[in-house]
Amino acid sequence: MALAATVLPGQADAQPPQCSAIRIYVPYAAGGGTDVSARLIGGKLGAELKIPVIIENRPGAKSVIAYQALLRDPADGCAYLYDNSSHSLQAVYKGLPYDSAKDFQPVAMVAIAPNVFVVNPGFPAKTMPEFIAYAKAHPGKVTYASFGVGSTSHLSGEVLNSAAGINMVHVPYRGSAPAVADLMGGSVQAIFLDPLTAKPLMDTGKVRGLAVVGAQRVATSPELPSMGELGIDDLSVPGWWGLFAKAGVPAPIVQDMAGRLQRIAADPEVKEKLAALGTQAYSGSPADFAATIAKDSARWRKVVKERELVLE
Protein backbone atom coordinates (compact mmCIF):
# COMPACT_ATOMS: atom_id res chain seq x y z
CA MET A 1 0.00 0.00 0.00
CA ALA A 2 2.69 2.49 0.98
CA LEU A 3 4.78 1.53 -2.04
CA ALA A 4 1.86 2.07 -4.43
CA ALA A 5 1.24 5.46 -2.83
CA THR A 6 4.82 6.53 -3.50
CA VAL A 7 4.39 5.73 -7.18
CA LEU A 8 1.04 7.42 -7.56
CA PRO A 9 0.96 10.43 -5.22
CA GLY A 10 -2.44 11.15 -3.79
CA GLN A 11 -3.70 7.62 -4.47
CA ALA A 12 -3.44 6.38 -0.88
CA ASP A 13 -6.52 4.20 -1.30
CA ALA A 14 -4.85 2.06 -3.99
CA GLN A 15 -5.16 -1.63 -3.19
CA PRO A 16 -4.06 -4.82 -4.91
CA PRO A 17 -6.66 -7.18 -6.39
CA GLN A 18 -7.60 -10.15 -4.21
CA CYS A 19 -6.97 -12.85 -6.81
CA SER A 20 -5.56 -16.37 -6.76
CA ALA A 21 -4.24 -15.66 -10.29
CA ILE A 22 -4.24 -12.88 -12.86
CA ARG A 23 -5.39 -13.64 -16.41
CA ILE A 24 -4.22 -11.45 -19.30
CA TYR A 25 -5.87 -11.88 -22.70
CA VAL A 26 -3.75 -11.14 -25.79
CA PRO A 27 -5.65 -10.65 -29.09
CA TYR A 28 -2.86 -12.17 -31.19
CA ALA A 29 -1.10 -15.49 -31.69
CA ALA A 30 1.88 -16.47 -29.58
CA GLY A 31 5.31 -15.31 -30.72
CA GLY A 32 4.51 -11.81 -31.99
CA GLY A 33 5.70 -8.59 -30.42
CA THR A 34 2.53 -8.06 -28.39
CA ASP A 35 2.61 -11.60 -27.02
CA VAL A 36 6.33 -11.49 -26.20
CA SER A 37 6.05 -8.19 -24.36
CA ALA A 38 2.91 -9.36 -22.53
CA ARG A 39 4.79 -12.38 -21.22
CA LEU A 40 7.70 -10.20 -20.15
CA ILE A 41 5.43 -7.80 -18.25
CA GLY A 42 3.27 -10.65 -16.94
CA GLY A 43 6.27 -12.51 -15.56
CA LYS A 44 7.40 -9.46 -13.62
CA LEU A 45 3.86 -8.78 -12.40
CA GLY A 46 3.47 -12.34 -11.14
CA ALA A 47 6.75 -12.11 -9.25
CA GLU A 48 5.63 -8.89 -7.59
CA LEU A 49 2.12 -10.09 -6.69
CA LYS A 50 3.39 -13.60 -5.81
CA ILE A 51 0.54 -15.22 -7.75
CA PRO A 52 0.41 -16.82 -11.22
CA VAL A 53 -0.12 -14.50 -14.19
CA ILE A 54 -1.61 -16.46 -17.08
CA ILE A 55 -1.19 -15.14 -20.62
CA GLU A 56 -4.05 -16.38 -22.77
CA ASN A 57 -3.86 -15.87 -26.54
CA ARG A 58 -7.26 -15.28 -28.16
CA PRO A 59 -6.49 -14.20 -31.75
CA GLY A 60 -8.95 -13.45 -34.53
CA ALA A 61 -11.92 -11.36 -35.62
CA LYS A 62 -10.12 -7.99 -35.40
CA SER A 63 -9.38 -8.70 -31.72
CA VAL A 64 -13.09 -9.12 -30.90
CA ILE A 65 -12.57 -12.63 -29.50
CA ALA A 66 -10.12 -11.44 -26.85
CA TYR A 67 -12.17 -8.37 -25.97
CA GLN A 68 -15.31 -10.45 -25.49
CA ALA A 69 -13.37 -12.91 -23.34
CA LEU A 70 -12.53 -10.12 -20.90
CA LEU A 71 -16.12 -8.89 -20.88
CA ARG A 72 -17.29 -12.34 -19.75
CA ASP A 73 -15.07 -12.16 -16.65
CA PRO A 74 -16.14 -10.42 -13.42
CA ALA A 75 -15.04 -6.81 -12.95
CA ASP A 76 -12.87 -7.75 -9.97
CA GLY A 77 -9.41 -6.86 -11.25
CA CYS A 78 -8.34 -10.46 -11.80
CA ALA A 79 -8.52 -10.34 -15.62
CA TYR A 80 -7.10 -7.85 -18.12
CA LEU A 81 -6.49 -7.29 -21.82
CA TYR A 82 -3.04 -6.51 -23.23
CA ASP A 83 -3.16 -4.86 -26.63
CA ASN A 84 -1.20 -2.56 -28.88
CA SER A 85 -2.18 0.69 -30.58
CA SER A 86 -4.55 -1.26 -32.84
CA HIS A 87 -6.97 -0.81 -29.93
CA SER A 88 -7.63 2.72 -31.19
CA LEU A 89 -9.01 1.27 -34.43
CA GLN A 90 -11.91 -0.21 -32.48
CA ALA A 91 -13.38 3.30 -32.58
CA VAL A 92 -13.86 3.12 -36.36
CA TYR A 93 -15.09 -0.46 -36.82
CA LYS A 94 -18.77 -0.93 -37.58
CA GLY A 95 -20.98 -3.43 -35.79
CA LEU A 96 -18.80 -4.33 -32.79
CA PRO A 97 -20.68 -6.17 -30.02
CA TYR A 98 -19.35 -3.72 -27.42
CA ASP A 99 -18.29 -0.09 -27.00
CA SER A 100 -14.51 -0.01 -26.79
CA ALA A 101 -14.54 3.39 -25.08
CA LYS A 102 -17.19 2.56 -22.46
CA ASP A 103 -16.69 -1.15 -21.78
CA PHE A 104 -12.92 -1.04 -21.16
CA GLN A 105 -10.74 1.26 -19.10
CA PRO A 106 -7.05 2.01 -19.78
CA VAL A 107 -4.72 0.97 -16.95
CA ALA A 108 -1.25 1.82 -18.20
CA MET A 109 0.85 2.07 -21.33
CA VAL A 110 4.09 0.14 -20.82
CA ALA A 111 5.99 0.64 -24.08
CA ILE A 112 6.15 2.78 -27.19
CA ALA A 113 6.58 0.71 -30.32
CA PRO A 114 7.38 2.75 -33.44
CA ASN A 115 6.37 0.91 -36.61
CA VAL A 116 8.76 0.98 -39.55
CA PHE A 117 7.95 1.75 -43.19
CA VAL A 118 9.90 -0.72 -45.31
CA VAL A 119 10.17 -1.55 -48.99
CA ASN A 120 11.38 -4.48 -51.05
CA PRO A 121 15.19 -4.16 -51.34
CA GLY A 122 14.89 -3.94 -55.12
CA PHE A 123 12.65 -0.88 -55.00
CA PRO A 124 14.29 2.10 -56.80
CA ALA A 125 13.90 4.56 -53.90
CA LYS A 126 16.62 4.49 -51.22
CA THR A 127 15.11 7.18 -48.94
CA MET A 128 11.64 8.28 -47.90
CA PRO A 129 11.75 11.51 -49.96
CA GLU A 130 12.81 9.44 -52.97
CA PHE A 131 9.93 7.03 -52.31
CA ILE A 132 7.40 9.86 -52.25
CA ALA A 133 8.86 11.37 -55.43
CA TYR A 134 8.72 7.99 -57.17
CA ALA A 135 5.12 7.38 -56.06
CA LYS A 136 4.10 10.83 -57.33
CA ALA A 137 5.74 10.13 -60.67
CA HIS A 138 4.01 6.73 -60.91
CA PRO A 139 0.47 7.25 -59.53
CA GLY A 140 -1.42 4.02 -58.91
CA LYS A 141 1.66 1.91 -59.69
CA VAL A 142 3.16 1.53 -56.20
CA THR A 143 1.55 -1.15 -54.01
CA TYR A 144 1.59 -1.45 -50.24
CA ALA A 145 0.58 -4.52 -48.27
CA SER A 146 -1.36 -4.69 -45.02
CA PHE A 147 -2.35 -7.33 -42.49
CA GLY A 148 -5.98 -6.86 -43.46
CA VAL A 149 -8.59 -4.20 -44.20
CA GLY A 150 -8.88 -1.90 -41.20
CA SER A 151 -5.53 -2.86 -39.68
CA THR A 152 -3.01 -0.23 -38.60
CA SER A 153 -0.82 -1.24 -41.54
CA HIS A 154 -3.74 -0.48 -43.87
CA LEU A 155 -4.75 2.86 -42.35
CA SER A 156 -1.14 4.03 -41.96
CA GLY A 157 -0.81 3.64 -45.72
CA GLU A 158 -3.95 5.71 -46.21
CA VAL A 159 -2.51 8.40 -43.92
CA LEU A 160 0.69 8.43 -45.98
CA ASN A 161 -1.30 8.69 -49.20
CA SER A 162 -3.15 11.75 -47.91
CA ALA A 163 -0.21 13.44 -46.20
CA ALA A 164 2.25 12.97 -49.06
CA GLY A 165 -0.21 13.48 -51.90
CA ILE A 166 0.47 10.07 -53.43
CA ASN A 167 -1.72 7.16 -54.53
CA MET A 168 -0.32 3.85 -53.36
CA VAL A 169 -2.59 0.86 -54.04
CA HIS A 170 -3.62 -1.13 -50.98
CA VAL A 171 -3.19 -4.93 -51.12
CA PRO A 172 -4.71 -6.58 -48.02
CA TYR A 173 -3.56 -9.95 -46.68
CA ARG A 174 -4.85 -12.31 -44.02
CA GLY A 175 -2.16 -11.69 -41.47
CA SER A 176 1.46 -10.61 -41.38
CA ALA A 177 3.22 -13.78 -42.59
CA PRO A 178 1.84 -13.84 -46.18
CA ALA A 179 2.15 -10.06 -46.48
CA VAL A 180 5.82 -10.07 -45.48
CA ALA A 181 6.53 -13.08 -47.71
CA ASP A 182 5.09 -11.32 -50.76
CA LEU A 183 6.95 -8.12 -49.87
CA MET A 184 10.27 -9.98 -49.84
CA GLY A 185 9.28 -11.79 -53.03
CA GLY A 186 8.50 -8.53 -54.82
CA SER A 187 4.77 -9.05 -55.36
CA VAL A 188 4.13 -5.90 -53.32
CA GLN A 189 6.51 -3.03 -52.75
CA ALA A 190 5.99 -1.53 -49.30
CA ILE A 191 4.48 -2.13 -45.87
CA PHE A 192 4.31 -0.73 -42.34
CA LEU A 193 5.81 -3.32 -39.96
CA ASP A 194 6.08 -3.61 -36.20
CA PRO A 195 9.69 -3.22 -34.96
CA LEU A 196 10.01 -6.84 -33.80
CA THR A 197 9.34 -8.05 -37.35
CA ALA A 198 11.12 -5.25 -39.19
CA LYS A 199 14.49 -5.17 -37.41
CA PRO A 200 15.80 -8.66 -38.28
CA LEU A 201 14.57 -8.32 -41.86
CA MET A 202 16.39 -4.98 -42.24
CA ASP A 203 19.53 -6.35 -40.59
CA THR A 204 19.67 -9.23 -43.08
CA GLY A 205 18.87 -7.08 -46.12
CA LYS A 206 15.54 -8.77 -46.83
CA VAL A 207 13.75 -5.42 -46.68
CA ARG A 208 14.93 -1.81 -46.70
CA GLY A 209 13.75 0.54 -43.98
CA LEU A 210 12.89 4.09 -45.04
CA ALA A 211 11.40 5.74 -41.94
CA VAL A 212 9.97 5.10 -38.49
CA VAL A 213 6.54 6.20 -37.33
CA GLY A 214 6.84 8.85 -34.63
CA ALA A 215 8.26 12.27 -33.90
CA GLN A 216 11.83 11.17 -33.21
CA ARG A 217 14.37 8.64 -34.40
CA VAL A 218 14.76 5.45 -32.38
CA ALA A 219 17.94 4.04 -30.85
CA THR A 220 17.52 0.63 -32.49
CA SER A 221 17.55 2.14 -36.02
CA PRO A 222 19.17 5.58 -35.67
CA GLU A 223 19.87 5.81 -39.38
CA LEU A 224 16.16 5.98 -40.22
CA PRO A 225 14.44 9.37 -40.13
CA SER A 226 11.15 9.74 -38.29
CA MET A 227 7.94 10.60 -40.11
CA GLY A 228 7.71 13.66 -37.86
CA GLU A 229 11.04 15.08 -38.95
CA LEU A 230 10.05 14.45 -42.56
CA GLY A 231 7.01 16.67 -42.02
CA ILE A 232 4.43 13.87 -42.12
CA ASP A 233 2.73 14.95 -38.91
CA ASP A 234 -0.17 12.50 -39.10
CA LEU A 235 2.37 9.69 -38.74
CA SER A 236 4.36 11.37 -35.98
CA VAL A 237 2.67 9.37 -33.20
CA PRO A 238 4.30 5.98 -32.53
CA GLY A 239 2.45 2.80 -31.65
CA TRP A 240 2.24 1.47 -28.11
CA TRP A 241 1.55 -1.55 -25.90
CA GLY A 242 -0.62 -1.36 -22.80
CA LEU A 243 -3.00 -3.00 -20.34
CA PHE A 244 -6.79 -2.59 -20.12
CA ALA A 245 -9.30 -3.52 -17.44
CA LYS A 246 -12.98 -4.19 -17.84
CA ALA A 247 -15.19 -1.23 -17.04
CA GLY A 248 -16.41 -1.46 -13.47
CA VAL A 249 -13.16 -2.63 -11.94
CA PRO A 250 -12.85 -0.45 -8.80
CA ALA A 251 -10.63 2.60 -9.19
CA PRO A 252 -8.32 1.64 -6.27
CA ILE A 253 -7.50 -1.67 -7.97
CA VAL A 254 -6.82 0.07 -11.30
CA GLN A 255 -4.61 2.62 -9.50
CA ASP A 256 -2.67 -0.13 -7.78
CA MET A 257 -2.12 -2.03 -11.02
CA ALA A 258 -1.03 1.15 -12.80
CA GLY A 259 1.55 1.77 -10.06
CA ARG A 260 2.89 -1.75 -10.38
CA LEU A 261 3.20 -1.41 -14.15
CA GLN A 262 5.04 1.89 -13.71
CA ARG A 263 7.61 0.16 -11.54
CA ILE A 264 7.90 -2.77 -13.94
CA ALA A 265 8.39 -0.45 -16.93
CA ALA A 266 11.17 1.33 -15.02
CA ASP A 267 12.97 -1.94 -14.24
CA PRO A 268 16.39 -1.94 -16.03
CA GLU A 269 15.98 -5.55 -17.13
CA VAL A 270 12.55 -4.84 -18.60
CA LYS A 271 13.82 -1.73 -20.36
CA GLU A 272 16.68 -3.70 -21.88
CA LYS A 273 14.45 -6.52 -23.06
CA LEU A 274 11.88 -4.14 -24.51
CA ALA A 275 14.67 -2.29 -26.31
CA ALA A 276 15.72 -5.61 -27.88
CA LEU A 277 12.20 -5.77 -29.35
CA GLY A 278 12.72 -2.35 -30.92
CA THR A 279 10.56 -0.59 -28.34
CA GLN A 280 11.00 1.90 -25.54
CA ALA A 281 9.64 1.34 -22.04
CA TYR A 282 7.02 3.88 -21.00
CA SER A 283 5.64 4.76 -17.59
CA GLY A 284 2.47 6.85 -17.32
CA SER A 285 -0.86 7.18 -15.54
CA PRO A 286 -4.24 5.80 -16.62
CA ALA A 287 -5.24 9.36 -17.55
CA ASP A 288 -2.18 9.71 -19.81
CA PHE A 289 -3.05 6.42 -21.49
CA ALA A 290 -6.69 7.44 -21.97
CA ALA A 291 -5.61 10.73 -23.56
CA THR A 292 -3.35 8.90 -26.02
CA ILE A 293 -6.15 6.55 -27.02
CA ALA A 294 -8.58 9.41 -27.52
CA LYS A 295 -6.09 11.24 -29.74
CA ASP A 296 -5.33 8.11 -31.77
CA SER A 297 -9.02 7.27 -32.21
CA ALA A 298 -9.78 10.78 -33.44
CA ARG A 299 -6.95 10.53 -35.95
CA TRP A 300 -8.23 7.21 -37.33
CA ARG A 301 -11.79 8.57 -37.57
CA LYS A 302 -10.43 11.43 -39.62
CA VAL A 303 -8.59 9.04 -41.95
CA VAL A 304 -11.65 6.85 -42.44
CA LYS A 305 -13.85 9.86 -43.18
CA GLU A 306 -11.39 11.56 -45.55
CA ARG A 307 -10.67 8.35 -47.48
CA GLU A 308 -14.38 7.31 -47.44
CA LEU A 309 -13.51 3.89 -46.02
CA VAL A 310 -16.05 1.42 -44.69
CA LEU A 311 -14.61 -0.88 -42.01
CA GLU A 312 -16.90 -3.74 -41.02
Coordinates of all heavy atoms in Angstrom, one line a residue, residues 13 20 26 42 60 74 97 134 136 150 161 185 194 217 239 244-245 250 255 257 259 269 279 308 311-312:
D13 N -5.6 5.3 -1.4 CA -6.5 4.2 -1.3 C -6.3 3.1 -2.3 O -7.1 2.1 -2.4 CB -7.9 4.7 -1.5 CG -8.1 5.4 -2.8 OD1 -7.1 5.7 -3.5 OD2 -9.3 5.7 -3.2
S20 N -6.5 -15.2 -6.9 CA -5.6 -16.4 -6.8 C -4.6 -16.4 -8.0 O -3.6 -17.0 -7.9 CB -6.4 -17.7 -6.7 OG -7.2 -17.8 -7.8
V26 N -4.5 -11.8 -24.7 CA -3.8 -11.1 -25.8 C -4.5 -11.4 -27.1 O -4.7 -12.6 -27.4 CB -2.3 -11.7 -25.8 CG1 -1.6 -11.1 -27.0 CG2 -1.6 -11.4 -24.6
G42 N 4.0 -9.7 -17.8 CA 3.3 -10.6 -16.9 C 4.2 -11.4 -16.0 O 3.8 -11.6 -14.8
G60 N -7.9 -13.4 -33.5 CA -8.9 -13.5 -34.5 C -10.0 -12.4 -34.4 O -10.2 -11.7 -33.4
P74 N -15.7 -11.4 -14.4 CA -16.1 -10.4 -13.4 C -15.2 -9.2 -13.4 O -14.1 -9.3 -13.7 CB -16.0 -11.2 -12.1 CG -16.0 -12.6 -12.4 CD -15.3 -12.7 -13.8
P97 N -19.7 -5.8 -31.0 CA -20.7 -6.2 -30.0 C -20.4 -5.5 -28.7 O -20.9 -6.0 -27.7 CB -20.5 -7.7 -29.9 CG -19.1 -7.9 -30.3 CD -18.7 -6.9 -31.3
Y134 N 9.0 9.1 -56.2 CA 8.7 8.0 -57.2 C 7.2 7.7 -57.3 O 6.7 7.5 -58.4 CB 9.5 6.7 -56.7 CG 9.3 5.6 -57.7 CD1 10.3 5.4 -58.7 CD2 8.3 4.7 -57.6 CE1 10.1 4.3 -59.6 CE2 8.1 3.6 -58.5 CZ 9.1 3.4 -59.5 OH 8.9 2.4 -60.4
K136 N 4.8 9.7 -56.6 CA 4.1 10.8 -57.3 C 4.3 10.7 -58.8 O 3.4 11.1 -59.6 CB 4.6 12.2 -56.8 CG 4.1 12.6 -55.4 CD 4.7 13.9 -55.0 CE 4.1 14.4 -53.7 NZ 4.6 15.7 -53.3
G150 N -8.6 -2.5 -42.5 CA -8.9 -1.9 -41.2 C -7.8 -2.1 -40.2 O -7.9 -1.6 -39.1
N161 N -0.7 8.2 -47.9 CA -1.3 8.7 -49.2 C -1.8 10.1 -49.1 O -1.5 11.0 -49.9 CB -2.5 7.8 -49.6 CG -2.0 6.6 -50.4 OD1 -1.0 6.6 -51.0 ND2 -2.8 5.5 -50.4
G185 N 9.3 -11.2 -51.7 CA 9.3 -11.8 -53.0 C 9.1 -10.8 -54.2 O 9.2 -11.1 -55.3
D194 N 5.7 -3.8 -37.6 CA 6.1 -3.6 -36.2 C 7.6 -3.8 -36.1 O 8.2 -4.5 -36.9 CB 5.3 -4.6 -35.3 CG 5.8 -6.0 -35.5 OD1 6.7 -6.5 -34.9 OD2 5.1 -6.7 -36.3
R217 N 13.7 9.9 -34.0 CA 14.4 8.6 -34.4 C 14.4 7.7 -33.2 O 14.3 8.1 -32.1 CB 15.8 8.9 -34.9 CG 15.8 9.8 -36.2 CD 17.1 9.9 -36.8 NE 17.1 10.8 -38.0 CZ 17.9 10.7 -39.0 NH1 18.8 9.8 -39.1 NH2 17.7 11.6 -40.0
G239 N 3.3 3.8 -32.2 CA 2.5 2.8 -31.7 C 2.8 2.6 -30.2 O 3.8 3.1 -29.7
F244 N -5.4 -3.1 -20.3 CA -6.8 -2.6 -20.1 C -7.5 -3.5 -19.1 O -7.3 -4.7 -19.0 CB -7.6 -2.6 -21.4 CG -7.1 -1.7 -22.5 CD1 -6.0 -2.1 -23.3 CD2 -7.6 -0.5 -22.7 CE1 -5.5 -1.3 -24.3 CE2 -7.1 0.4 -23.7 CZ -6.1 0.0 -24.5
A245 N -8.4 -2.8 -18.3 CA -9.3 -3.5 -17.4 C -10.7 -3.4 -18.0 O -11.0 -2.5 -18.8 CB -9.2 -2.9 -16.0
P250 N -13.0 -1.6 -9.7 CA -12.9 -0.5 -8.8 C -11.6 0.4 -9.0 O -10.5 -0.2 -9.3 CB -12.8 -1.1 -7.4 CG -13.6 -2.4 -7.6 CD -13.2 -2.9 -9.0
Q255 N -5.7 1.8 -9.9 CA -4.6 2.6 -9.5 C -3.4 1.8 -9.0 O -2.3 2.1 -9.3 CB -5.1 3.6 -8.4 CG -6.1 4.6 -8.8 CD -6.9 5.2 -7.7 OE1 -6.6 4.9 -6.5 NE2 -7.9 5.9 -8.0
M257 N -2.7 -1.3 -9.9 CA -2.1 -2.0 -11.0 C -1.3 -1.1 -11.9 O -0.2 -1.4 -12.3 CB -3.2 -2.7 -11.9 CG -2.7 -3.5 -13.0 SD -1.6 -4.9 -12.5 CE -2.9 -6.0 -11.8
G259 N 0.3 1.5 -10.8 CA 1.5 1.8 -10.1 C 2.5 0.6 -10.2 O 3.7 0.8 -10.4
E269 N 16.0 -4.3 -16.3 CA 16.0 -5.6 -17.1 C 14.8 -5.5 -18.1 O 15.0 -5.9 -19.3 CB 15.8 -6.8 -16.2 CG 15.7 -8.1 -17.0 CD 15.4 -9.3 -16.1 OE1 15.2 -9.1 -14.9 OE2 15.3 -10.4 -16.6
T279 N 11.5 -1.5 -29.0 CA 10.6 -0.6 -28.3 C 11.2 0.1 -27.2 O 12.3 -0.2 -26.8 CB 9.4 -1.4 -27.8 OG1 9.8 -2.2 -26.7 CG2 8.8 -2.3 -28.8
E308 N -13.1 7.9 -47.2 CA -14.4 7.3 -47.4 C -14.3 5.8 -47.3 O -14.8 5.1 -48.2 CB -14.9 7.8 -48.8 CG -15.1 9.3 -48.9 CD -15.7 9.7 -50.2 OE1 -15.6 8.9 -51.2 OE2 -16.2 10.8 -50.3
L311 N -15.3 0.2 -42.7 CA -14.6 -0.9 -42.0 C -15.6 -1.7 -41.2 O -16.1 -1.2 -40.2 CB -13.5 -0.3 -41.1 CG -12.5 0.6 -41.8 CD1 -11.5 1.1 -40.7 CD2 -11.8 -0.1 -42.9
E312 N -15.9 -2.9 -41.7 CA -16.9 -3.7 -41.0 C -16.2 -4.6 -39.9 O -15.1 -4.9 -40.1 CB -17.6 -4.7 -42.0 CG -18.3 -3.9 -43.1 CD -19.5 -3.1 -42.6 OE1 -20.0 -3.5 -41.5 OE2 -20.0 -2.3 -43.3

